Amino acid sequence: MGNALFHQLLTPIGNSTGLSFLIGIIPIAVVLVLLGVVRAPAWISALSGLVVGLIEAVVGWQMPFHLAMSSVGEGMVFAVW
């Protein structure tokens, strides 16, 4: 794979900080709504937030898919540790 360096875009959605912020909080809102309103189990809420966050990272922030999956893997190892 080589040295893959991802330069994060700070305002990827409409070149607007506000819009990027509103889109960026959607995964957090998904987790909170599923936990507090729907009363879904924590693992389903967390997994749903992860999926929404991955979609946003790849589509909205233009993060390469392999780097997004690598980040998920590192997060899982850190959580287990």
Side-chain angles (χ1 to χ4, degrees):
M1 292 249 172
N3 282 338
L5 184 61
F6 173 63
H7 296 283
Q8 181 177 352
L9 303 172
L10 298 178
T11 55
I13 312 300
N15 203 25
S16 165
T17 305
L19 266 171
S20 298
F21 167 77
L22 290 174
I23 297 300
I25 62 171
I26 291 174
I28 298 167
V30 165
V31 172
L32 293 176
V33 167
L34 285 174
L35 283 174
V37 177
V38 179
R39 313 281 277 176
W43 72 271
I44 291 176
S45 302
L47 188 59
S48 300
L50 172 65
V51 169
V52 172
L54 274 174
I55 292 168
E56 281 188 10
V58 173
V59 175
W61 272 257
Q62 300 164 9
M63 184 177 198
F65 183 74
H66 72 280
L67 290 178
M69 293 312 295
S70 176
S71 297
V72 169
E74 289 179 27
M76 289 170 60
V77 168
F78 185 73
V80 170
W81 179 62

